Amino acid sequence: MRLRPMHLLLDISLTVAKPWLLAPSGIDRVEFAHARHWSRLPARDVTFVMRTAWDRLAALPDGLAREILADAAARIAPGLDHRGISLRARPALAMTRQFLGDGVARLRGRLTERRDAVLLSVSCATLHKHAALAAVKRRGAKVAALVHDVIPLTHPHCFPQGEAERHARRMEGVSLFADAAIAVSAATRDGMQGWFAARGLALPPVEVAHLGLDLPPPEPAPGEGERPYFVMLGSLEPRKNHWLMLEAWREMAGRPDAPHLVIIGRRPAEPHLGTILLDRGDFGGLVEYRGRLPDREAARLLRGARALLFPSLTEGFGIPVAEALALGVPVLASDIPAFREVGGETPEFLHPLDGPGWRAAVLDYARPDSPRRTAQLARLPGWSAPSWDRHFAVVERVLDGLARG
């Protein structure tokens, strides 16, 4: 880590909030990966900040921040479920003091001391709170924003009411306050450029930094001789297109050669076509919904699968695609830019609405002598996994540029 002299303000609002919420999402994990990376800096060079209940930014005492991150390391990193978990008494009491104003004053003092501060937002948790960003900018700090996608803007029908408006305000925050932006993929960068241009908004310089992987230690896959199965991994959002795969399994239910389907992921509160079909469809016992699983169990099931199925309509990156390929598991994925970017020429790509094509591919990959699966396994050694080292090399270059001024 070789940065020019600067003081980093790292927004860990999601990591701080997680003890009261459910299991970590992909964006939570990215924020934690950044917290893990930047906590290598001494206290004189980094301040961990959070958004308060009054939508102001507050600086956490360094010892408290690192204690919270240590707790997160024991839970977010392994992918443990957070239901029923709360912070220990001392950190909880200290957190209350931050909400009551101690942290706001601490941040103000830090910005007065260090005129070389850069606020890094990696989760978008604060980008729609323009007053908080403006307050930091007024005291001379610069702002860098990591942007995961613009999907709520391009596919608003796939999200709960109000999310598109909230994400538009986040992107307006990038336009108004960010000195630099980092996109997790070229697909996300291109989506940003199109949306900003269509609205006449200024877009700061954008770099692309692919996300890294945090794979759990290897565990044995399910035993040989069991009926072949496929895995869908990811939250059951409408854009993930579970409906298409469930329709395929409903049609295959009576076939003696039909494989199993294991669905892993968080279920949204609002029902949609995919979840309704999951609840009411007759799949002949071939479909199993496992909900959220610890990372080790999800990886174990993925290792034994004939392939990962990822028929999303749109994505900003596609971590499960990279995870499956890194585990040596073939991937059947939608032919969309983000998956082409992550998977290269290794996965087999299909149109996200080609039901017969997906069904034919599944039946082929389920066979022990599948020529299509064999061909993809032969391509796998040529694929290169994304890494956090490469991600942070880009981020550090961006921050170094801001420090250079």
Side-chain angles (χ1 to χ4, degrees), residues 61-316:
D62 188 69
L64 171 62
R66 294 178 190 270
E67 187 171 352
I68 292 170
L69 294 176
D71 183 68
R75 305 195 183 280
I76 292 180
L80 298 181
D81 199 313
H82 281 244
R83 282 173 287 197
I85 295 171
S86 61
L87 280 172
R88 295 185 297 277
R90 195 186 74 77
L93 178 62
M95 285 296 305
T96 302
R97 296 182 61 185
Q98 310 317 309
F99 283 126
L100 294 178
D102 286 8
V104 175
R106 183 179 295 103
L107 177 59
R108 190 180 302 122
R110 187 59 49 83
L111 290 172
T112 300
E113 297 167 5
R114 299 294 299 259
R115 307 301 295 179
D116 56 352
V118 177
L119 172 66
L120 176 60
S121 169
V122 298
S123 67
C124 295
T126 306
L127 294 179
H128 58 306
K129 302 301 180 181
H130 294 181
L133 298 176
V136 170
K137 294 282 285 189
R138 279 196 301 271
R139 293 185 175 275
K142 294 180 179 177
V143 175
L146 182 70
V147 179
H148 296 262
D149 59 62
V150 291
I151 296 173
L153 308 176
T154 57
H155 295 69
H157 56 284
C158 293
F159 291 86
Q161 187 175 4
E163 180 59 23
E165 292 77 8
R166 187 159 45 249
H167 205 64
R169 188 160 174 81
R170 292 183 188 116
M171 294 303 100
E172 290 164 359
V174 171
S175 179
L176 290 169
F177 302 106
D179 300 282
I182 303 159
V184 301
S185 65
T188 291
R189 178 202 60 201
D190 296 346
M192 291 174 65
Q193 291 174 339
W195 190 84
F196 277 66
R199 282 149 188 81
L201 295 175
L203 180 64
V206 183
E207 293 269 5
V208 173
H210 288 166
L211 302 175
L213 300 179
D214 291 303
L215 296 174
E219 290 189 2
E224 295 293 330
E226 298 181 3
R227 190 166 188 159
Y229 68 91
F230 292 77
V231 165
M232 293 187 74
L233 178 60
S235 58
L236 277 68
E237 301 172 37
R239 65 187 174 93
K240 302 291 186 177
N241 209 12
H242 287 78
W243 172 84
L244 186 82
M245 292 294 90
L246 291 171
E247 270 295 301
W249 253 266
R250 190 178 62 81
E251 295 176 10
M252 292 189 296
R255 296 181 58 128
D257 58 344
H260 280 284
L261 173 63
V262 178
I263 299 175
I264 304 169
R266 176 186 59 82
R267 183 171 181 146
E270 295 185 9
H272 56 82
L273 190 58
T275 58
I276 293 171
L277 183 57
L278 178 62
D279 291 338
R280 302 180 183 178
D282 182 6
F283 307 108
L286 295 175
V287 174
E288 181 183 5
Y289 173 56
R290 298 289 298 272
R292 292 205 63 124
L293 293 176
D295 289 2
R296 289 190 178 189
E297 177 62 14
R300 187 186 74 85
L301 286 170
L302 189 54
R303 283 190 182 95
R306 300 298 290 171
L308 171 73
L309 305 179
F310 217 149
S312 290
L313 301 174
T314 181
E315 291 287 344

Side-chain angles (χ1 to χ4, degrees), residues 305-308 321-331 342-348 365 372-385:
R306 300 298 290 171
L308 171 73
V321 169
E323 289 176 336
L325 295 176
L327 293 172
V329 178
V331 174
V342 172
E345 298 301 318
T346 300
E348 187 165 344
Y365 272 62
R372 293 166 68 170
R373 187 173 188 272
T374 299
Q376 183 170 164
L377 288 171
R379 296 193 296 270
L380 257 171
W383 179 78
S384 177

Side-chain angles (χ1 to χ4, degrees), residues 6 118-119 142-144 179-180 397-405:
M6 60 167 285
V118 177
L119 172 66
K142 294 180 179 177
V143 175
D179 300 282
R397 185 171 69 243
V398 170
L399 298 179
D400 195 61
L402 294 181
R404 192 165 55 243

Side-chain angles (χ1 to χ4, degrees), residues 230 306 359-373:
F230 292 77
R306 300 298 290 171
R359 190 166 60 251
V362 164
L363 290 171
D364 184 285
Y365 272 62
R367 293 166 46 191
D369 59 344
S370 166
R372 293 166 68 170
R373 187 173 188 272

